[in-house]
């Protein structure tokens, strides 16, 4: 699997465009792979014949792992032997020092053992003359020492039974015939409970058995809940967490538990904005473009951010700095069949209303077709999510990692509204702004949201800034 860039470490094989036996050329598309950001086409780096496909569609492969075998004309025969006299041992043959050569380094030295042989009973210490090597040690240098297995120990008739049944033989359990490591109070506790410490695995420092280990050993495992029986054809369905869903989950968890979120809400009378949209649609400049309310929101965000730069910033904890971005790279959350993606409109603050409308139409079509390049899904500085298209009034959006704020736009609908002291029916929209309180103070966040609302309520306000 090649490195597809953008810091990605794995990708999923979506489909193969070739099969074993096919002839491929350089840069011919051989597969489609799905990363955490997009579906991309994978070209062949070689010309030759496809020998084998090493990964099935649907399998996630880490970068650097082989996924296909391409036999080229320059490939050497697989059974070609190394020239005589070349250094090193063949794989699987004994090399210098009696070691077995492996793919990396060497295996263990053959015929050696580092354990000192057990002294036989009745042989006094120091029986060998000074300077002489004991015969047992000399033999151990060339052959493994034969250690006589210990005689089985019969359990004492008076030994108490451990919880859950009779005490097992001393040679079973994690300790075998070794003495378990435990402090005297723990040993007394085990005796009182009838627990054989040789059956208990220690979790303390150096493998020492603790009180918690003994209590866990005596606690019976919880009973499994009874299975839930559903009507035929209504079984649960499991789906692997991968691709866009996996990346979105990791990003949202990281943001929610790293950035202290504050969310504020504002109801806005957008009657004047929609009237302006209707007038512009009849003009020549906007006649061939899909001019949506979201384009006006995007323009309002770009203008308001110039008055509150902290909403277009990043908290760099590693450097101990706040990065105030010189450009507004505006992310637009888009729902696609593959999940939620957030493509970016680069330098959105330099675009006029027509440019923003064109950018929104292009990125939305590209995202829904699944062809958004990975480079367009990173590097955002502010995000807008339009939950109103689903008929939702408002929400509490989660900030994208690396950004300072996100604006949710609710449904636009007629509502009763007070105008000049009189009740009237107006077109109203709910806005909700979530911001990182490390970067944006409450006063700054409130002023930014109020500025966006003022521009949408009366677009002519922009002429006064």
């Amino acid at each position: 699997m090649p490195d597809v860039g953008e810091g990605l470490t794995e990708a999923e094989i979506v489909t193969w465009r070739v099969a074993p036996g096919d002839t491929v050329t350089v840069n011919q598309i051989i597969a489609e792979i799905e990363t955490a950001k997009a579906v991309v086409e994978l070209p062949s780096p070689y010309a030759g014949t496809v020998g084998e496909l090493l990964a099935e569609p649907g399998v996630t492969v880490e970068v650097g792992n082989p996924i296909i075998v391409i036999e080229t004309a320059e490939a050497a025969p697989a059974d070609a032997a190394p020239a005589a006299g070349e250094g090193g041992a063949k794989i699987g043959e004994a090399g210098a020092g009696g070691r077995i050569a492996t793919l990396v380094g060497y295996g263990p030295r053959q015929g050696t053992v580092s354990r000192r042989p057990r002294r036989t009973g009745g042989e006094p210490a120091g029986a060998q003359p000074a300077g002489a090597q004991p015969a047992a040690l000399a033999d151990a240098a060339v052959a493994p020492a034969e250690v006589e297995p210990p005689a089985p120990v019969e359990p004492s008739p008076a030994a108490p039974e451990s919880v859950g049944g009779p005490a097992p033989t001393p040679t079973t359990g994690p300790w075998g015939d070794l003495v378990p490591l435990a402090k005297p109070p723990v040993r007394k506790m085990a005796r009182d409970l009838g627990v054989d410490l040789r059956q208990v695995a220690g979790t303390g420092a150096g493998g020492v058995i603790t009180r918690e280990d003994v209590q866990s050993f005596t606690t019976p495992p919880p009973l499994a809940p009874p299975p839930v029986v559903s009507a035929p054809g209504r079984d649960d369905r499991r789906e692997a967490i991968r691709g866009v869903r996996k990346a979105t989950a990791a990003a949202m968890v990281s943001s929610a538990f790293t950035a202290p979120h504050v969310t504020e809400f504002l109801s806005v009378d957008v009657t004047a904005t929609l009237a302006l949209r209707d007038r512009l649609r009849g003009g020549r400049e906007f006649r061939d473009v899909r001019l949506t309310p979201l384009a006006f929101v995007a323009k309002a965000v770009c203008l308001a951010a110039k008055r509150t730069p902290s909403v277009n910033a990043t908290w760099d904890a590693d450097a101990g700095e706040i990065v105030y971005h010189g450009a507004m790279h505006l992310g637009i959350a888009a729902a696609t069949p593959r999940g939620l993606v957030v493509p970016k409109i680069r330098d959105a603050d330099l675009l006029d209303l027509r440019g923003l409308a064109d950018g929104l139409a292009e990125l939305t079509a590209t995202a829904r077709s699944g062809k958004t390049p990975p480079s367009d899904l990173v590097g955002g500085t502010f995000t807008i999510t339009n939950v109103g298209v689903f008929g939702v009034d408002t929400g509490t959006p989660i900030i994208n990692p690396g950004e300072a704020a996100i604006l949710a736009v609710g449904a636009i609908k007629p509502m009763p509204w007070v105008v000049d002291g009189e009740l009237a029916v107006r077109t109203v929209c709910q806005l909700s702004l979530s911001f990182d309180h490390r970067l944006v103070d409450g006063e700054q966040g409130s002023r930014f949201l109020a500025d966006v609302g003022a521009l949408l309520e009366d677009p002519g306000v922009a002429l006064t800034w």
Side-chain angles (χ1 to χ4, degrees):
M1 178 65 65
D3 184 359
V4 294
E6 307 297 338
L8 302 173
T9 60
E10 63 182 17
E12 177 187 337
I13 304 294
V14 177
T15 182
W16 286 105
R17 299 277 190 87
V18 296
D22 290 352
T23 300
V24 295
T25 59
V26 175
N27 291 332
Q28 176 182 337
I29 302 303
I30 59 175
E32 288 185 2
I33 61 175
E34 179 179 7
T35 69
K37 301 183 181 298
V39 175
V40 296
E41 295 178 332
L42 184 65
S44 172
Y46 304 105
T49 304
V50 177
E52 184 179 0
L53 304 180
L54 304 179
E56 296 291 334
V59 174
T60 300
V61 184
E62 294 184 357
V63 170
N65 288 348
I67 59 174
I68 186 173
V69 175
I70 298 179
E71 300 171 353
T72 62
E74 294 79 9
D79 56 351
E86 290 183 351
K90 297 180 181 179
I91 303 302
E93 295 183 357
R99 298 183 181 182
I100 298 297
T102 58
L103 289 176
V104 179
Y106 284 93
R109 187 185 300 276
Q110 300 297 310
T112 61
V113 66
S114 58
R115 181 182 298 176
R116 182 174 180 177
R118 180 180 297 179
R119 180 180 297 158
T120 57
E123 183 179 316
Q128 296 290 336
Q133 183 183 21
L137 292 180
D139 294 341
V142 295
E146 296 183 1
V147 181
E148 182 180 356
V153 180
E154 295 294 334
S156 172
E161 292 185 355
S162 61
V163 174
T169 60
T171 56
T172 61
W175 294 93
D177 57 352
L178 300 178
V179 178
L181 301 178
K183 295 181 179 180
V186 178
R187 294 183 180 276
K188 182 179 183 303
M189 177 184 181
R191 285 196 301 270
D192 293 342
L193 296 176
V195 175
D196 185 355
L197 288 179
R198 286 169 291 191
Q199 311 304 314
V200 182
T203 60
V208 175
I209 300 174
T210 65
R211 287 179 176 269
E212 291 74 16
D213 297 332
V214 177
Q215 291 172 349
S216 299
F217 185 81
T218 60
T219 303
L223 297 177
V228 178
V229 180
S230 302
R234 299 176 57 86
D235 295 335
D236 296 340
R237 178 176 61 88
R238 288 181 173 267
E239 185 176 283
I241 303 173
R242 59 193 180 193
V244 173
R245 176 58 56 195
K246 183 177 180 181
T248 302
M252 293 299 98
V253 169
S254 173
S255 176
F257 292 96
T258 301
H261 281 55
V262 175
T263 304
E264 294 184 342
F265 306 90
L266 180 65
S267 298
V268 182
D269 178 3
V270 296
T271 305
T273 294
L274 295 186
L276 175 60
R277 182 194 63 170
D278 293 340
R279 292 197 302 270
L280 292 176
R281 280 178 171 176
R284 181 176 56 186
E285 185 178 358
F286 291 91
R287 190 171 300 167
D288 58 344
V289 66
R290 186 169 182 264
L291 188 58
T292 65
L294 190 59
F296 291 88
V297 175
K299 188 60 180 178
V301 165
C302 293
L303 292 175
K306 294 180 179 180
R307 291 161 55 96
T308 311
S310 58
V311 300
N312 192 38
T314 296
W315 182 275
D316 190 344
D318 294 336
E321 298 173 341
I322 296 176
V323 182
Y324 293 94
H325 300 292
M328 168 72 79
H329 300 310
L330 190 59
I332 305 297
T336 72
R338 298 175 53 244
L340 179 68
V341 296
V342 188
K344 310 297 185 289
I345 300 178
R346 302 297 178 188
D347 298 305
D349 54 319
L350 300 181
L351 300 177
D352 57 13
L353 186 62
R354 169 63 189 256
L356 289 171
D358 288 336
L360 287 170
E362 180 180 356
L363 69 81
T364 301
T366 304
R368 289 176 178 171
S369 64
K371 299 299 183 180
T372 303
S375 58
D376 286 352
L377 297 173
V378 297
T381 61
F382 190 96
T383 297
I384 298 175
T385 176
N386 185 12
V387 298
V389 296
F390 306 108
V392 176
D393 291 333
T394 188
T396 55
I398 298 178
I399 306 166
N400 273 327
E403 299 179 9
I406 180 174
L407 180 70
V409 182
I412 299 175
K413 59 179 65 175
M415 293 183 64
W417 199 260
V418 177
V419 180
D420 297 330
E422 299 290 337
L423 189 62
V425 177
R426 306 289 285 183
T427 306
V428 179
C429 174
Q430 296 278 347
L431 302 177
S432 58
L433 176 73
S434 293
F435 55 87
D436 185 344
H437 217 331
R438 298 174 301 176
L439 288 161
V440 183
D441 296 334
E443 180 269 338
Q444 295 171 325
S446 300
R447 185 174 66 241
F448 172 79
L449 183 58
D451 284 346
V452 173
L455 289 168
L456 294 177
E457 187 167 350
D458 183 2
V461 171
L463 296 176
T464 66
W465 291 359

